[in-house]
Amino acid sequence: GAGVSQSPRYKVTKRGQDVALRCDPISGHVSLYWYRQALGQGPEFLTYFNYEAQQDKSGLPNDRFSAERPEGSISTLTIQRTEQRDSAMYRCASSPFAGGPGDTQYFGPGTRLTVL
Amino acid sequence: QQQVKQSPQSLIVQKGGISIINCAYENTAFDYFPWYQQFPGKGPALLIAIRPDVSEKKEGRFTISFNKSAKQFSLHIMDSQPGDSATYFCAATRQGAQKLVFGQGTRLTINP
């Protein structure tokens, strides 16, 4: 079946603009995660949802970052007033069991964000 | 605070050799330790995972060794093949937290 999809795959924006990154999880998956991955580094946790409820947003760098998953499926990560330091690969992952035993996070291909 | 430290950053191994990547963690509450494999242009994909109630887990050519007292775990790839060339990430999480804490990654190159 289809994996996690993200759009756009590449986004170039000017400093100060708002951007919205979309994640389509695997159908039926309960949990959805957002990570940010700098070049040459491991993914860094941003936030996650179980169904439509945001469970943990401790990784969001500041209040310019927000995320939602209103119907428990598709999620949007929004960055307001982008800054050059926001440039990174933003990855979404989904998992079927909300962290139960054997739960596996399946990652999408990512959105490469470049802020000029 | 880097909760999971991974080494080496890069590794070159001859075909047929053994690749070994090491990770150390700080948080003793971690109770699930997966390894992810990432090919260029793709997202990380789960390779193998272990819980601290066992000291070793083997799946085909891939083995995780786990040392709870030392707070260390490692990935061993036996009979390494060129197709194993990728970036490998160790990670850790704890019951109820769900979020993964990743190491910095190891770029593995298997020379034919």
Side-chain angles (χ1 to χ4, degrees):
Chain A
V4 177
S5 61
Q6 293 185 243
S7 61
R9 292 292 308 275
Y10 302 90
K11 178 69 177 179
V12 180
T13 191
K14 292 183 178 179
R15 187 178 56 185
Q17 297 294 306
D18 298 351
V19 296
L21 312 180
R22 173 183 166 129
C23 173
D24 251 304
I26 294 172
S27 178
H29 275 197
V30 169
S31 302
L32 185 149
Y33 306 80
W34 284 100
Y35 292 86
R36 180 168 67 175
Q37 187 173 13
L39 200 61
Q41 299 293 317
E44 179 184 15
F45 170 78
L46 295 177
T47 185
Y48 84 93
F49 297 81
N50 285 342
Y51 301 101
E52 72 282 359
Q54 192 171 19
Q55 300 291 325
D56 183 346
K57 55 181 182 179
S58 62
L60 295 177
N62 51 60
D63 60 8
R64 296 187 296 106
F65 288 72
S66 63
E68 62 175 9
R69 194 188 185 199
E71 297 180 358
S73 180
I74 294 168
S75 177
T76 302
L77 177 70
T78 301
I79 308 173
Q80 296 179 313
R81 305 181 303 280
T82 53
E83 301 178 3
Q84 286 185 330
R85 59 177 171 159
D86 300 333
S87 297
M89 177 72 80
Y90 289 83
R91 294 202 188 274
C92 174
S94 69
S95 70
F97 304 127
D103 200 24
T104 298
Q105 294 186 23
Y106 296 86
F107 282 81
T111 295
R112 169 72 68 188
L113 175 65
T114 302
V115 182
L116 302 176
Chain B
Q1 180 187 9
Q2 184 63 50
Q3 294 193 60
V4 179
K5 294 185 179 180
Q6 183 172 345
S7 63
Q9 275 190 310
S10 62
L11 180 62
I12 300 174
V13 176
Q14 292 300 117
K15 179 182 175 182
I18 302 173
S19 304
I20 302 174
I21 304 171
N22 301 298
C23 283
Y25 63 97
E26 299 171 0
N27 188 343
T28 55
F30 288 150
D31 59 4
Y32 179 67
F33 302 88
W35 283 89
Y36 280 79
Q37 180 188 54
Q38 183 176 14
F39 292 106
K42 303 291 186 182
L46 179 68
L47 184 63
I48 186 173
I50 196 169
R51 294 193 181 274
D53 52 345
V54 297
S55 60
E56 184 174 286
K57 183 174 182 180
K58 184 176 181 178
E59 291 183 0
R61 296 184 295 109
F62 301 90
T63 300
I64 300 179
S65 297
F66 185 82
N67 185 329
K68 188 174 181 178
S69 61
K71 294 188 287 185
Q72 295 175 346
F73 58 110
S74 59
L75 176 69
H76 296 233
I77 306 175
M78 312 300 287
D79 187 26
S80 300
Q81 299 296 312
D84 297 330
S85 297
T87 299
Y88 292 80
F89 295 97
C90 62
T93 189
R94 61 175 177 81
Q95 184 80 16
Q98 291 188 233
K99 63 184 180 183
L100 290 170
V101 179
F102 283 88
Q104 301 95 318
T106 297
R107 177 176 282 186
L108 175 65
T109 302
I110 307 300
N111 283 336

